[in-house]
């Protein structure tokens, strides 16, 4: 086990709704990255947070947003859900400057109907 | 052209065989290369990472990077049924990890 936990495990939403996914980082890790993994694809980088600030973003629209808290837990929020948002959402924690060694959580499976 | 290309498979080999998994990449600025293993319903797990061209060995796993041809390989010796998983190659640019699609591997007992 990596020590990274995510909740919930599964989630079903309808188009247009909003969702919040949660991640608890490995102890001492101050950097968290979020990824979207569609079925049969590799994870796609959404964004990264370091010291509660966004520190890099992939090719995702602004309706994907995040928060990182002082205890290094974090959230991914997605507004105005679309069918294509159905995917496995992964968070990964690491130490700053060492993101080539990221530890992934088990993911949250989001289904948008 | 995708930044990291990987054949999705599936690849089926008998137990004990040597497995060869491969990726190509497009950007010569990529410096770090990683291999992740992902079991069904789990997050990716880092297997190996390497910075330079050449081979890096860890137990039954060998990672190989050829920067001149932009080619990355992972070899698994004495493959076991427990090696059945999806293997993702990845690289890093500006703290962003870029993954290939992953290759599904089945080791047949």
């Amino acid at each position: 086990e990596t020590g990274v936990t995510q909740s919930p495990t599964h989630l079903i939403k309808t188009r247009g709704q909003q969702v919040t996914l949660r991640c608890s980082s490995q102890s001492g890790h101050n950097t968290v990255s979020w990824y979207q993994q569609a079925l049969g694809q590799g994870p796609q980088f959404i964004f990264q947070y370091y010291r509660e600030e966004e520190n890099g973003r992939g090719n995702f629209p602004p309706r994907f947003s995040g928060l990182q808290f002082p205890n290094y837990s974090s959230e991914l929020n997605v507004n105005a859900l679309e069918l294509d948002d159905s995917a496995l959402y992964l968070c990964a924690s690491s130490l700053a400057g060492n993101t080539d060694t990221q530890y992934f959580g088990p993911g949250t499976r989001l289904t948008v109907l | 052209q995708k930044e990291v290309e990987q054949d999705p498979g599936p690849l089926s080999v008998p137990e004990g065989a040597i497995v060869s998994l491969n990726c190509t990449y497009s950007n010569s600025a990529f410096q770090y290369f990683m291999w992740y293993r992902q079991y069904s319903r789990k997050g990716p797990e880092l297997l190996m990472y390497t910075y330079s061209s050449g081979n890096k060995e860890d137990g039954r796993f060998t990672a190989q990077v050829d920067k001149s041809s932009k080619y990355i390989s992972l070899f698994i010796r004495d493959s076991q049924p427990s090696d059945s998983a999806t293997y993702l190659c990845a690289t890093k640019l500006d703290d962003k990890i870029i993954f290939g699609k992953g290759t599904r591997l089945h080791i047949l007992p």
Side-chain angles (χ1 to χ4, degrees), chain B residues 53-109:
Chain B
S53 278
N55 294 350
K56 182 176 181 180
E57 194 172 313
D58 184 1
R60 295 185 296 112
F61 298 90
T62 300
Q64 188 175 81
V65 176
D66 182 346
K67 289 188 176 179
S68 62
S69 58
K70 300 192 184 70
Y71 202 79
I72 315 162
S73 299
L74 179 70
F75 299 97
I76 308 174
R77 290 184 299 281
D78 188 24
S79 55
Q80 305 293 312
S82 59
D83 295 328
S84 298
T86 295
Y87 289 80
L88 299 151
C89 62
T91 185
K92 186 178 89 158
L93 189 66
D94 298 331
D95 267 1
K96 181 176 85 168
I97 307 293
I98 302 164
F99 286 89
K101 275 188 170 185
T103 299
R104 285 182 295 139
L105 174 66
H106 299 290
I107 306 298
L108 306 171

Short mmCIF file of all heavy atoms in Angstrom, two decimals, chain B residues 53-109:
data_model
loop_
_atom_site.label_atom_id
_atom_site.label_comp_id
_atom_site.label_asym_id
_atom_site.label_seq_id
_atom_site.Cartn_x
_atom_site.Cartn_y
_atom_site.Cartn_z
N SER B 53 20.49 6.96 -20.87
CA SER B 53 20.44 5.85 -21.82
C SER B 53 21.14 4.64 -21.21
O SER B 53 22.02 4.78 -20.36
CB SER B 53 21.14 6.23 -23.12
OG SER B 53 20.29 6.99 -23.94
N GLY B 54 20.75 3.46 -21.66
CA GLY B 54 21.35 2.24 -21.16
C GLY B 54 20.36 1.41 -20.39
O GLY B 54 19.15 1.61 -20.49
N ASN B 55 20.88 0.46 -19.64
CA ASN B 55 20.05 -0.49 -18.91
C ASN B 55 20.09 -0.23 -17.41
O ASN B 55 21.10 0.20 -16.86
CB ASN B 55 20.55 -1.92 -19.15
CG ASN B 55 20.38 -2.36 -20.58
OD1 ASN B 55 19.73 -1.69 -21.37
ND2 ASN B 55 20.98 -3.48 -20.92
N LYS B 56 18.96 -0.52 -16.77
CA LYS B 56 18.87 -0.50 -15.32
C LYS B 56 18.14 -1.75 -14.88
O LYS B 56 17.05 -2.02 -15.38
CB LYS B 56 18.13 0.75 -14.83
CG LYS B 56 18.05 0.87 -13.31
CD LYS B 56 17.40 2.17 -12.93
CE LYS B 56 17.32 2.31 -11.43
NZ LYS B 56 16.68 3.59 -11.01
N GLU B 57 18.73 -2.49 -13.96
CA GLU B 57 18.17 -3.77 -13.57
C GLU B 57 17.70 -3.73 -12.13
O GLU B 57 18.33 -3.13 -11.26
CB GLU B 57 19.24 -4.85 -13.74
CG GLU B 57 18.74 -6.27 -13.69
CD GLU B 57 19.84 -7.27 -14.05
OE1 GLU B 57 20.54 -7.05 -15.04
OE2 GLU B 57 20.00 -8.26 -13.30
N ASP B 58 16.56 -4.41 -11.88
CA ASP B 58 16.04 -4.54 -10.52
C ASP B 58 15.33 -5.87 -10.43
O ASP B 58 14.18 -6.01 -10.85
CB ASP B 58 15.08 -3.39 -10.19
CG ASP B 58 14.60 -3.44 -8.74
OD1 ASP B 58 15.01 -4.34 -7.99
OD2 ASP B 58 13.80 -2.56 -8.37
N GLY B 59 16.04 -6.86 -9.91
CA GLY B 59 15.46 -8.20 -9.81
C GLY B 59 15.18 -8.77 -11.19
O GLY B 59 16.06 -8.83 -12.05
N ARG B 60 13.93 -9.15 -11.41
CA ARG B 60 13.58 -9.74 -12.71
C ARG B 60 13.29 -8.68 -13.78
O ARG B 60 13.01 -9.02 -14.92
CB ARG B 60 12.33 -10.61 -12.53
CG ARG B 60 12.54 -11.83 -11.63
CD ARG B 60 11.30 -12.72 -11.59
NE ARG B 60 10.13 -12.08 -11.01
CZ ARG B 60 9.03 -11.75 -11.68
NH1 ARG B 60 8.94 -12.00 -12.99
NH2 ARG B 60 8.01 -11.19 -11.06
N PHE B 61 13.34 -7.42 -13.40
CA PHE B 61 12.98 -6.33 -14.31
C PHE B 61 14.22 -5.59 -14.80
O PHE B 61 15.13 -5.29 -14.01
CB PHE B 61 12.04 -5.33 -13.62
CG PHE B 61 10.74 -5.93 -13.17
CD1 PHE B 61 10.60 -6.51 -11.92
CD2 PHE B 61 9.65 -5.94 -14.02
CE1 PHE B 61 9.40 -7.07 -11.52
CE2 PHE B 61 8.44 -6.50 -13.63
CZ PHE B 61 8.32 -7.07 -12.38
N THR B 62 14.24 -5.30 -16.10
CA THR B 62 15.29 -4.47 -16.68
C THR B 62 14.64 -3.38 -17.53
O THR B 62 13.83 -3.69 -18.41
CB THR B 62 16.24 -5.29 -17.57
OG1 THR B 62 16.86 -6.32 -16.79
CG2 THR B 62 17.31 -4.42 -18.19
N ALA B 63 14.99 -2.14 -17.23
CA ALA B 63 14.52 -1.01 -18.04
C ALA B 63 15.65 -0.58 -18.95
O ALA B 63 16.81 -0.52 -18.54
CB ALA B 63 14.09 0.14 -17.14
N GLN B 64 15.28 -0.29 -20.19
CA GLN B 64 16.27 0.10 -21.18
C GLN B 64 15.80 1.37 -21.88
O GLN B 64 14.64 1.48 -22.27
CB GLN B 64 16.42 -1.04 -22.20
CG GLN B 64 17.55 -0.89 -23.19
CD GLN B 64 17.65 -2.14 -24.06
OE1 GLN B 64 16.90 -2.31 -25.02
NE2 GLN B 64 18.56 -3.03 -23.71
N VAL B 65 16.71 2.31 -22.05
CA VAL B 65 16.40 3.56 -22.74
C VAL B 65 17.41 3.78 -23.85
O VAL B 65 18.62 3.68 -23.63
CB VAL B 65 16.44 4.77 -21.77
CG1 VAL B 65 16.20 6.07 -22.53
CG2 VAL B 65 15.41 4.61 -20.67
N ASP B 66 16.92 4.06 -25.04
CA ASP B 66 17.77 4.41 -26.17
C ASP B 66 17.34 5.81 -26.63
O ASP B 66 16.36 5.95 -27.37
CB ASP B 66 17.61 3.38 -27.28
CG ASP B 66 18.50 3.67 -28.48
OD1 ASP B 66 19.04 4.79 -28.58
OD2 ASP B 66 18.65 2.79 -29.34
N LYS B 67 18.06 6.82 -26.18
CA LYS B 67 17.65 8.19 -26.49
C LYS B 67 17.89 8.53 -27.96
O LYS B 67 17.22 9.41 -28.51
CB LYS B 67 18.39 9.19 -25.59
CG LYS B 67 17.92 9.14 -24.15
CD LYS B 67 18.51 10.26 -23.32
CE LYS B 67 17.95 10.24 -21.91
NZ LYS B 67 18.52 11.31 -21.07
N SER B 68 18.81 7.84 -28.61
CA SER B 68 19.07 8.16 -30.02
C SER B 68 17.89 7.79 -30.89
O SER B 68 17.58 8.46 -31.88
CB SER B 68 20.34 7.45 -30.50
OG SER B 68 20.17 6.04 -30.43
N SER B 69 17.18 6.72 -30.52
CA SER B 69 16.00 6.32 -31.30
C SER B 69 14.70 6.62 -30.57
O SER B 69 13.63 6.27 -31.05
CB SER B 69 16.08 4.83 -31.65
OG SER B 69 16.17 4.06 -30.49
N LYS B 70 14.80 7.25 -29.38
CA LYS B 70 13.61 7.60 -28.58
C LYS B 70 12.77 6.36 -28.30
O LYS B 70 11.55 6.33 -28.55
CB LYS B 70 12.79 8.69 -29.26
CG LYS B 70 13.56 9.99 -29.51
CD LYS B 70 12.60 11.10 -29.93
CE LYS B 70 13.32 12.38 -30.27
NZ LYS B 70 14.10 12.31 -31.51
N TYR B 71 13.40 5.36 -27.75
CA TYR B 71 12.79 4.05 -27.56
C TYR B 71 13.03 3.63 -26.12
O TYR B 71 14.14 3.73 -25.60
CB TYR B 71 13.46 3.07 -28.52
CG TYR B 71 12.66 1.84 -28.84
CD1 TYR B 71 11.63 1.88 -29.77
CD2 TYR B 71 12.96 0.62 -28.23
CE1 TYR B 71 10.90 0.75 -30.09
CE2 TYR B 71 12.23 -0.51 -28.54
CZ TYR B 71 11.22 -0.45 -29.48
OH TYR B 71 10.50 -1.58 -29.79
N ILE B 72 11.94 3.16 -25.46
CA ILE B 72 12.01 2.71 -24.06
C ILE B 72 11.52 1.28 -24.00
O ILE B 72 10.50 0.96 -24.64
CB ILE B 72 11.09 3.55 -23.15
CG1 ILE B 72 11.20 5.05 -23.43
CG2 ILE B 72 11.39 3.29 -21.68
CD1 ILE B 72 10.03 5.82 -22.87
N SER B 73 12.19 0.44 -23.23
CA SER B 73 11.77 -0.96 -23.11
C SER B 73 11.78 -1.39 -21.65
O SER B 73 12.55 -0.87 -20.84
CB SER B 73 12.72 -1.87 -23.89
OG SER B 73 12.72 -1.55 -25.25
N LEU B 74 10.92 -2.35 -21.37
CA LEU B 74 10.94 -3.03 -20.07
C LEU B 74 10.95 -4.52 -20.36
O LEU B 74 10.10 -5.03 -21.10
CB LEU B 74 9.70 -2.67 -19.23
CG LEU B 74 9.63 -3.37 -17.87
CD1 LEU B 74 10.70 -2.83 -16.92
CD2 LEU B 74 8.23 -3.23 -17.25
N PHE B 75 11.92 -5.22 -19.76
CA PHE B 75 12.02 -6.67 -19.91
C PHE B 75 11.69 -7.31 -18.56
O PHE B 75 12.17 -6.86 -17.52
CB PHE B 75 13.42 -7.08 -20.37
CG PHE B 75 13.81 -6.50 -21.70
CD1 PHE B 75 14.57 -5.35 -21.77
CD2 PHE B 75 13.40 -7.10 -22.89
CE1 PHE B 75 14.93 -4.80 -22.99
CE2 PHE B 75 13.74 -6.54 -24.12
CZ PHE B 75 14.51 -5.40 -24.17
N ILE B 76 10.89 -8.36 -18.61
CA ILE B 76 10.57 -9.12 -17.41
C ILE B 76 11.05 -10.55 -17.64
O ILE B 76 10.60 -11.22 -18.57
CB ILE B 76 9.04 -9.13 -17.12
CG1 ILE B 76 8.48 -7.70 -17.10
CG2 ILE B 76 8.77 -9.84 -15.79
CD1 ILE B 76 6.97 -7.65 -16.96
N ARG B 77 11.98 -10.97 -16.79
CA ARG B 77 12.49 -12.35 -16.91
C ARG B 77 11.66 -13.27 -16.02
O ARG B 77 11.08 -12.85 -15.02
CB ARG B 77 13.96 -12.39 -16.46
CG ARG B 77 14.92 -11.72 -17.39
CD ARG B 77 16.36 -11.92 -16.90
NE ARG B 77 16.55 -11.33 -15.58
CZ ARG B 77 16.73 -10.03 -15.38
NH1 ARG B 77 16.73 -9.18 -16.39
NH2 ARG B 77 16.90 -9.58 -14.15
N ASP B 78 11.65 -14.56 -16.41
CA ASP B 78 10.95 -15.57 -15.60
C ASP B 78 9.57 -15.07 -15.20
O ASP B 78 9.22 -14.99 -14.01
CB ASP B 78 11.79 -15.91 -14.35
CG ASP B 78 11.23 -17.08 -13.57
OD1 ASP B 78 10.52 -17.91 -14.16
OD2 ASP B 78 11.48 -17.14 -12.34
N SER B 79 8.77 -14.70 -16.18
CA SER B 79 7.47 -14.09 -15.91
C SER B 79 6.57 -15.03 -15.10
O SER B 79 6.60 -16.26 -15.25
CB SER B 79 6.80 -13.70 -17.22
OG SER B 79 6.70 -14.81 -18.08
N GLN B 80 5.79 -14.41 -14.21
CA GLN B 80 4.91 -15.12 -13.30
C GLN B 80 3.45 -14.69 -13.55
O GLN B 80 3.21 -13.55 -13.97
CB GLN B 80 5.28 -14.80 -11.85
CG GLN B 80 6.73 -15.07 -11.50
CD GLN B 80 7.05 -16.54 -11.54
OE1 GLN B 80 6.30 -17.35 -10.98
NE2 GLN B 80 8.13 -16.91 -12.19
N PRO B 81 2.49 -15.54 -13.23
CA PRO B 81 1.08 -15.11 -13.37
C PRO B 81 0.79 -13.82 -12.60
O PRO B 81 -0.05 -13.02 -13.03
CB PRO B 81 0.31 -16.30 -12.79
CG PRO B 81 1.18 -17.48 -13.08
CD PRO B 81 2.59 -16.97 -12.89
N SER B 82 1.50 -13.58 -11.50
CA SER B 82 1.28 -12.35 -10.72
C SER B 82 1.79 -11.10 -11.45
O SER B 82 1.49 -9.97 -11.02
CB SER B 82 1.98 -12.45 -9.36
OG SER B 82 3.37 -12.67 -9.54
N ASP B 83 2.51 -11.28 -12.55
CA ASP B 83 2.95 -10.14 -13.36
C ASP B 83 1.83 -9.67 -14.30
O ASP B 83 1.99 -8.65 -14.97
CB ASP B 83 4.18 -10.50 -14.20
CG ASP B 83 5.41 -10.80 -13.36
OD1 ASP B 83 5.56 -10.19 -12.28
OD2 ASP B 83 6.22 -11.65 -13.79
N SER B 84 0.74 -10.41 -14.36
CA SER B 84 -0.38 -10.01 -15.22
C SER B 84 -0.95 -8.69 -14.73
O SER B 84 -1.43 -8.58 -13.60
CB SER B 84 -1.46 -11.09 -15.22
OG SER B 84 -0.96 -12.30 -15.74
N ALA B 85 -0.89 -7.68 -15.57
CA ALA B 85 -1.29 -6.32 -15.20
C ALA B 85 -1.17 -5.46 -16.45
O ALA B 85 -0.77 -5.93 -17.51
CB ALA B 85 -0.39 -5.76 -14.09
N THR B 86 -1.49 -4.19 -16.29
CA THR B 86 -1.22 -3.21 -17.34
C THR B 86 0.07 -2.48 -16.99
O THR B 86 0.24 -2.04 -15.85
CB THR B 86 -2.38 -2.21 -17.47
OG1 THR B 86 -3.55 -2.91 -17.91
CG2 THR B 86 -2.05 -1.12 -18.49
N TYR B 87 0.96 -2.38 -17.97
CA TYR B 87 2.24 -1.72 -17.76
C TYR B 87 2.24 -0.40 -18.53
O TYR B 87 1.99 -0.37 -19.73
CB TYR B 87 3.39 -2.63 -18.22
CG TYR B 87 3.56 -3.78 -17.28
CD1 TYR B 87 2.72 -4.90 -17.35
CD2 TYR B 87 4.52 -3.76 -16.27
CE1 TYR B 87 2.85 -5.95 -16.45
CE2 TYR B 87 4.66 -4.80 -15.37
CZ TYR B 87 3.82 -5.89 -15.47
OH TYR B 87 3.94 -6.93 -14.57
N LEU B 88 2.52 0.67 -17.80
CA LEU B 88 2.48 2.01 -18.36
C LEU B 88 3.89 2.58 -18.42
O LEU B 88 4.59 2.61 -17.39
CB LEU B 88 1.63 2.93 -17.47
CG LEU B 88 0.16 2.57 -17.30
CD1 LEU B 88 -0.35 3.05 -15.96
CD2 LEU B 88 -0.66 3.21 -18.41
N CYS B 89 4.32 3.00 -19.59
CA CYS B 89 5.56 3.76 -19.65
C CYS B 89 5.21 5.23 -19.45
O CYS B 89 4.08 5.66 -19.73
CB CYS B 89 6.30 3.53 -20.96
SG CYS B 89 5.43 4.06 -22.43
N ALA B 90 6.17 5.99 -18.96
CA ALA B 90 5.90 7.39 -18.67
C ALA B 90 7.20 8.18 -18.74
O ALA B 90 8.29 7.64 -18.59
CB ALA B 90 5.26 7.55 -17.30
N THR B 91 7.04 9.48 -18.96
CA THR B 91 8.17 10.37 -18.90
C THR B 91 7.75 11.63 -18.15
O THR B 91 6.58 11.80 -17.82
CB THR B 91 8.68 10.70 -20.32
OG1 THR B 91 9.87 11.48 -20.22
CG2 THR B 91 7.63 11.47 -21.11
N LYS B 92 8.69 12.49 -17.88
CA LYS B 92 8.39 13.68 -17.07
C LYS B 92 8.92 14.92 -17.77
O LYS B 92 10.03 14.93 -18.29
CB LYS B 92 9.05 13.56 -15.69
CG LYS B 92 8.68 14.67 -14.74
CD LYS B 92 9.33 14.48 -13.38
CE LYS B 92 10.70 15.13 -13.33
NZ LYS B 92 11.11 15.42 -11.95
N LEU B 93 8.09 15.97 -17.78
CA LEU B 93 8.51 17.26 -18.30
C LEU B 93 7.92 18.34 -17.42
O LEU B 93 6.70 18.40 -17.27
CB LEU B 93 8.05 17.43 -19.75
CG LEU B 93 8.60 18.64 -20.49
CD1 LEU B 93 10.10 18.51 -20.70
CD2 LEU B 93 7.90 18.80 -21.84
N ASP B 94 8.76 19.17 -16.82
CA ASP B 94 8.28 20.25 -15.94
C ASP B 94 7.36 19.74 -14.85
O ASP B 94 6.29 20.29 -14.62
CB ASP B 94 7.55 21.32 -16.76
CG ASP B 94 8.46 21.97 -17.78
OD1 ASP B 94 9.67 22.03 -17.53
OD2 ASP B 94 7.96 22.39 -18.84
N ASP B 95 7.74 18.67 -14.20
CA ASP B 95 6.96 18.10 -13.10
C ASP B 95 5.65 17.46 -13.53
O ASP B 95 4.84 17.07 -12.69
CB ASP B 95 6.67 19.16 -12.01
CG ASP B 95 7.71 19.14 -10.92
OD1 ASP B 95 8.66 18.33 -11.02
OD2 ASP B 95 7.60 19.92 -9.97
N LYS B 96 5.40 17.40 -14.81
CA LYS B 96 4.19 16.76 -15.31
C LYS B 96 4.58 15.37 -15.84
O LYS B 96 5.50 15.24 -16.64
CB LYS B 96 3.59 17.59 -16.44
CG LYS B 96 2.30 17.02 -17.01
CD LYS B 96 1.70 17.96 -18.04
CE LYS B 96 2.27 17.77 -19.42
NZ LYS B 96 1.50 18.46 -20.46
N ILE B 97 3.89 14.35 -15.36
CA ILE B 97 4.14 12.98 -15.83
C ILE B 97 3.25 12.74 -17.04
O ILE B 97 2.04 12.98 -17.00
CB ILE B 97 3.82 11.94 -14.74
CG1 ILE B 97 4.57 12.28 -13.45
CG2 ILE B 97 4.19 10.54 -15.23
CD1 ILE B 97 6.06 12.15 -13.54
N ILE B 98 3.85 12.26 -18.12
CA ILE B 98 3.13 11.96 -19.35
C ILE B 98 3.17 10.45 -19.54
O ILE B 98 4.26 9.87 -19.63
CB ILE B 98 3.78 12.67 -20.55
CG1 ILE B 98 3.81 14.18 -20.30
CG2 ILE B 98 3.04 12.35 -21.83
CD1 ILE B 98 4.73 14.93 -21.22
N PHE B 99 2.00 9.85 -19.59
CA PHE B 99 1.90 8.40 -19.67
C PHE B 99 1.57 7.94 -21.08
O PHE B 99 0.89 8.63 -21.85
CB PHE B 99 0.77 7.90 -18.76
CG PHE B 99 1.08 7.93 -17.30
CD1 PHE B 99 0.81 9.07 -16.54
CD2 PHE B 99 1.63 6.84 -16.67
CE1 PHE B 99 1.09 9.10 -15.19
CE2 PHE B 99 1.90 6.86 -15.31
CZ PHE B 99 1.63 7.99 -14.57
N GLY B 100 2.03 6.73 -21.40
CA GLY B 100 1.51 6.03 -22.56
C GLY B 100 0.17 5.41 -22.22
O GLY B 100 -0.31 5.49 -21.09
N LYS B 101 -0.45 4.76 -23.22
CA LYS B 101 -1.77 4.16 -23.02
C LYS B 101 -1.72 2.96 -22.10
O LYS B 101 -2.74 2.58 -21.52
CB LYS B 101 -2.32 3.69 -24.37
CG LYS B 101 -3.03 4.71 -25.18
CD LYS B 101 -3.69 4.01 -26.36
CE LYS B 101 -4.61 4.95 -27.08
NZ LYS B 101 -5.33 4.26 -28.16
N GLY B 102 -0.58 2.31 -22.00
CA GLY B 102 -0.47 1.09 -21.22
C GLY B 102 -0.61 -0.14 -22.10
O GLY B 102 -1.36 -0.14 -23.09
N THR B 103 0.12 -1.19 -21.75
CA THR B 103 0.02 -2.49 -22.43
C THR B 103 -0.52 -3.50 -21.44
O THR B 103 0.04 -3.68 -20.35
CB THR B 103 1.40 -2.97 -22.94
OG1 THR B 103 1.91 -2.03 -23.86
CG2 THR B 103 1.28 -4.34 -23.59
N ARG B 104 -1.62 -4.17 -21.81
CA ARG B 104 -2.17 -5.21 -20.95
C ARG B 104 -1.40 -6.51 -21.18
O ARG B 104 -1.26 -6.97 -22.31
CB ARG B 104 -3.65 -5.43 -21.25
CG ARG B 104 -4.53 -4.32 -20.70
CD ARG B 104 -6.00 -4.60 -20.97
NE ARG B 104 -6.29 -4.58 -22.39
CZ ARG B 104 -7.09 -5.45 -23.01
NH1 ARG B 104 -7.67 -6.42 -22.34
NH2 ARG B 104 -7.31 -5.35 -24.30
N LEU B 105 -0.88 -7.05 -20.10
CA LEU B 105 -0.06 -8.26 -20.15
C LEU B 105 -0.77 -9.39 -19.42
O LEU B 105 -1.22 -9.20 -18.28
CB LEU B 105 1.31 -7.99 -19.51
CG LEU B 105 2.24 -9.18 -19.35
CD1 LEU B 105 2.68 -9.71 -20.73
CD2 LEU B 105 3.46 -8.81 -18.52
N HIS B 106 -0.85 -10.55 -20.08
CA HIS B 106 -1.40 -11.75 -19.44
C HIS B 106 -0.32 -12.82 -19.44
O HIS B 106 0.22 -13.15 -20.50
CB HIS B 106 -2.61 -12.27 -20.22
CG HIS B 106 -3.73 -11.31 -20.30
ND1 HIS B 106 -4.51 -10.96 -19.21
CD2 HIS B 106 -4.23 -10.60 -21.35
CE1 HIS B 106 -5.43 -10.08 -19.60
NE2 HIS B 106 -5.29 -9.85 -20.87
N ILE B 107 0.01 -13.33 -18.26
CA ILE B 107 0.95 -14.44 -18.14
C ILE B 107 0.12 -15.70 -17.93
O ILE B 107 -0.63 -15.81 -16.95
CB ILE B 107 1.92 -14.24 -16.98
CG1 ILE B 107 2.63 -12.88 -17.09
CG2 ILE B 107 2.92 -15.39 -16.93
CD1 ILE B 107 3.47 -12.71 -18.33
N LEU B 108 0.26 -16.63 -18.85
CA LEU B 108 -0.56 -17.84 -18.85
C LEU B 108 0.13 -18.93 -18.04
O LEU B 108 1.26 -19.28 -18.32
CB LEU B 108 -0.79 -18.30 -20.29
CG LEU B 108 -1.36 -17.21 -21.21
CD1 LEU B 108 -1.35 -17.69 -22.66
CD2 LEU B 108 -2.77 -16.86 -20.78
N PRO B 109 -0.57 -19.47 -17.01
CA PRO B 109 0.07 -20.52 -16.17
C PRO B 109 0.34 -21.79 -16.96
O PRO B 109 -0.34 -22.08 -17.94
CB PRO B 109 -0.97 -20.77 -15.07
CG PRO B 109 -1.99 -19.71 -15.18
CD PRO B 109 -1.91 -19.12 -16.55
#
